[in-house]
Each structure stands twice: as C-alpha cells, then as structure tokens.
Amino acid sequence: MYKTILCLTSTLSVVQLHAATVSTTLGLISDYRSAGISQTSGNPAVQGHIDVTFENGIYANAWTSHVDWGDDAKLELDYYLGYSAALSKDIGYDFSVGYVSYPDYSLDINYPQAIAKLHYKNASVAYSYSSNYSNSGKNAGYISLDYSQPLPKKLSLNLHAGRSMGAYWKNMYCGEYNDYSVGFAGSFHGLDLSLAWISTDIHPHTHSGALQDDSTIVFGISHTF
C-alpha cells in the first residue's frame, strides 16, 4: 500500500551520473506505521532507500525497513519504478508501479501495486491499488490526502488523512477504515526533526503487541551529511 511514513532521513551521498541523480538515504523512526497500523509492534525502525532520478522524469527506487510482527518477519523491501512531471507551476502528477516484499519471512505475502498521485501547490492526493494484496487473492486500495503548510523558522505543519478499502480489508478484523495524522517538521542546527500524532478509527483498538492501531506520537530525527 501507499505509505505515508513519518521518517526523517539522512542523505549519505548524491552522485551525478550523466542525466541521472543517485541518492542513498538512511533514517530512524520511533514507530513504523503504515496507514496508521504499526509494523514494528510500537518499536523503533531503521529505514533506508536508494533513489535514481532521471532528468526526463523517470525514477526508480528501493526502500527497506525493519518490521516486527512478533514472528520471524524482520525486513520489508520494496521496489518502485515511476514517472513524474509538472503540468504547470502549481500542478504535477506521478505514476509508479512497485513490488512489496518480505524476503526473510516464512510466509509468502509479497505483492505488486500501482500508485497514482496528483499534486497542487502544497496539497496532494494519492491512490494505490493491488489486485492481490499480501498475496491473499483479494484486492485492496488506499486513498490519501496530504497537505503541508510552511511555517516560520523553516518549520512545516503536515496534515494527512487516508482510507484503506477493498475486499482484503472487508475480510479483516478491522474492516475498511480511516487513518489520520497531524505533525510538524523542521531543521535545527543541522538536525532534521519531526513529531506527529497518528490515529485510526478502528474499534476496538489494538494497544499492544503486533499491529497496534491506537493513537500514538511518532518522532524522527536525522542529520544530513
């Protein structure tokens, strides 16, 4: 699914290769939440990604994170290939296809997905879809709306709302549901910091162990070398 991940990152290297920009990134997050549900049992996660962006708008990236569901799953590894472009100074779009995998997991829950995004100034709407979510044979979709408001002192106010839907979620304990977040981000003396409140409308909430879905505060910190 499309993930709104509140993780601040540290760019380790940026290399110009002809018409492409290659960047390698690492980050630390206090709780990896995907669509409001913890993928690390409420614990911190180290995350990283490699991005290759071409001047014509084509890009490819690989993203990874620690996961902890209380079993033998320890790693998520996602791959994406996409294209982004601007229609005007204020409007842009982005299409990508990806593959979400858990290479060290004893269960095969890997799946493909497609993502479409539309940007207007500081707002964006995105929709992701998989016809075989978590290799379940059931479809799932995720639609999200995000807004970032610049504030003084290089701060920003970030708002997010999303909805998980489709046959997969209708057959889960939580059913189709909504998630929300309100957060702040900024840079201070070479450190990038973020703080966000995240919640869902799943009832009853799971407050501990794997797949926690209650309200929480998530913190991130990073340094750009």
Side-chain angles (χ1 to χ4, degrees), residues 168-182:
Y168 176 87
W169 293 108
K170 289 179 180 178
N171 285 274
M172 290 293 288
Y173 73 97
C174 56
E176 296 181 313
Y177 72 96
N178 302 309
D179 68 276
Y180 317 92
S181 70
V182 179

Side-chain angles (χ1 to χ4, degrees), residues 43-172:
N43 297 315
V46 175
Q47 302 174 333
H49 58 90
I50 298 175
D51 300 283
V52 181
T53 304
F54 295 90
E55 292 179 348
N56 60 6
I58 294 174
Y59 64 87
N61 61 56
W63 182 91
T64 188
S65 177
H66 168 69
V67 297
D68 180 7
W69 301 324
D71 52 21
D72 63 339
K74 301 301 178 186
L75 182 70
E76 177 180 343
L77 181 58
D78 306 342
Y79 307 93
Y80 293 94
L81 178 65
Y83 175 76
S84 63
L87 296 176
S88 69
K89 183 181 71 172
D90 296 327
I91 301 174
Y93 63 90
D94 186 314
F95 296 103
S96 63
V97 291
Y99 188 72
V100 179
S101 68
Y102 302 88
D104 64 343
Y105 198 22
S106 57
L107 299 178
D108 181 6
I109 59 170
N110 305 335
Y111 64 94
Q113 67 174 354
I115 304 172
K117 303 178 189 177
L118 181 64
H119 308 269
Y120 176 70
K121 293 186 177 180
N122 297 328
S124 66
V125 60
Y127 179 72
S128 68
Y129 177 81
S130 176
S131 60
N132 187 24
Y133 186 72
S134 289
N135 198 27
S136 64
K138 297 181 175 65
N139 67 76
Y142 183 74
I143 188 167
S144 61
L145 179 63
D146 292 88
Y147 179 79
S148 181
Q149 176 61 49
L151 301 173
K153 306 294 184 180
K154 297 182 179 181
L155 296 172
S156 64
L157 169 66
N158 303 313
L159 308 176
H160 165 83
R163 180 167 180 80
S164 297
M165 51 195 169
Y168 176 87
W169 293 108
K170 289 179 180 178
N171 285 274
M172 290 293 288

Side-chain angles (χ1 to χ4, degrees), residues 188-209:
F188 303 91
H189 302 292
L191 292 176
D192 295 320
L193 306 174
S194 69
L195 185 68
W197 169 82
I198 300 175
S199 189
T200 73
D201 63 0
I202 298 173
H203 293 290
H205 283 308
T206 300
H207 296 281
S208 62

Side-chain angles (χ1 to χ4, degrees), residues 3-23:
K3 299 178 175 66
T4 302
I5 302 170
L6 294 163
C7 177
L8 287 173
T9 60
S10 171
T11 301
L12 300 181
S13 62
V14 178
V15 182
Q16 293 291 334
L17 296 177
H18 301 292
T21 299
V22 180
S23 64

